[in-house]
Amino acid sequence: MVSLDPHGADPVFHALWVLLGGLAGAIVGSFLATLVLRWPAGTGLGGRSRCDGCGRAIGAAALVPLLSYLVLRGRCRACGDSIDRRHPAIELGAAAIGAVALAIAPGPAGAAGAVFGWLLLTLAILDLEHFWLPDRLTGTLAAAGLCAGLAGVAPPLATRIIGGLVGFAALAGIGFLYARLRGRVGLGQGDPKLLGAIGLWLGWPALPLVLLGASLIGLGAVAALRLTGRRIRATDRLPLGTLMAAASWLLWCATTRGNVIIPA
């Protein structure tokens, strides 16, 4: 019998943890895809899953993450309408996050990291598509960070709490000063809350690296857009929440593996 002890060294047990993370991520991703598609449109998330085209209830066999999309060739069995490609994309992304998190840290720390990544993925997509960081989702991210700290997952709880306070205060202060000096809003109200929630996960010493990483990812994105011929103006908005989410997840992966040492 194979043990799932996270402290073991058996490559089989490690592969099982990775598989478990991927399967859990695909299932979670199915719900996250529905949330991302329906929440901004004001469509309720309750009740049975239905086709966005014809409204017909979807059977259990057609709800298997990723596999059902491939079997159905991306179309509703009833009406033939195309299934939004974001469904399999988000499911695949969530599966990858779960697998990577548990590959890096099999056990509770990896499970916590997977939750961190899934929530960041959802917030990143909503900010990218709608410039919207819902308080309920950011609050869930913050609460999950506190719970992870209370459960003994590194970094320590005190470091997390300071990170939450400093992260929110830093961006809120920058946004206030920008508005006073330039006479217009430069930061969305959700950005400080998101950085505060990230601080509750990574701790205060990680916050400068989060902002640096977000800046570098943003510069890379702007450079890529310019290479495609798109004109970028100084007044164009960038989804800072998306950039911070990406930087935070990459930083969690790096620090959890021990590639970067951040003092607690």
Side-chain angles (χ1 to χ4, degrees):
M1 181 175 180
V2 178
S3 171
L4 291 181
D5 177 10
H7 302 292
D10 189 338
V12 175
F13 111 85
H14 191 267
L16 287 175
W17 275 105
V18 174
L19 179 61
L20 178 63
L23 290 175
I27 295 170
V28 171
S30 181
F31 170 75
L32 297 181
T34 302
L35 184 149
V36 165
L37 292 173
R38 294 187 178 182
W39 197 0
T43 307
L45 298 176
R48 293 188 61 182
S49 297
R50 298 181 179 276
C51 171
D52 294 328
C54 64
R56 185 170 181 175
I58 300 175
L63 292 174
V64 179
L66 293 173
L67 182 60
S68 60
Y69 183 86
L70 295 175
V71 171
L72 294 173
R73 298 182 180 181
R75 294 189 176 276
C76 172
R77 180 174 294 168
C79 67
D81 195 24
S82 296
I83 299 172
D84 195 307
R85 293 183 179 180
R86 285 174 291 179
H87 271 289
I90 294 173
E91 290 171 357
L92 183 60
I97 287 172
V100 169
L102 288 174
I104 292 174
V115 172
F116 182 45
W118 294 330
L119 290 171
L120 287 175
L121 174 65
T122 311
L123 286 161
I125 296 172
L126 289 173
D127 196 40
L128 179 64
E129 295 186 349
H130 306 284
F131 288 99
W132 183 41
L133 296 170
D135 286 347
R136 289 171 61 183
L137 198 56
T138 306
T140 301
L141 180 67
L146 282 175
C147 289
L150 289 169
V153 177
L157 182 60
T159 303
R160 291 172 181 260
I161 293 175
I162 296 173
L165 296 173
V166 171
F168 174 80
L171 276 194
I174 292 173
F176 175 78
L177 290 175
Y178 185 93
R180 290 294 298 270
L181 294 174
R182 299 295 298 273
R184 59 187 177 90
V185 175
L187 282 177
Q189 295 182 0
D191 294 322
K193 298 172 186 177
L194 177 57
L195 187 59
I198 290 170
L200 287 169
W201 272 96
L202 300 180
W204 66 266
L207 294 178
L209 292 179
V210 170
L211 293 176
L212 175 62
S215 299
L216 293 175
I217 295 171
L219 289 173
V222 170
L225 289 173
R226 289 181 64 89
L227 287 175
T228 61
R230 178 172 173 177
R231 183 179 179 183
I232 305 297
R233 296 171 295 181
T235 55
D236 286 346
R237 297 174 64 188
L238 285 177
L240 180 58
T242 302
L243 301 176
M244 290 192 298
S248 299
W249 170 245
L250 293 175
L251 186 59
W252 180 87
C253 292
T255 54
T256 303
R257 283 186 60 87
N259 294 332
V260 178
I261 299 177
I262 300 177

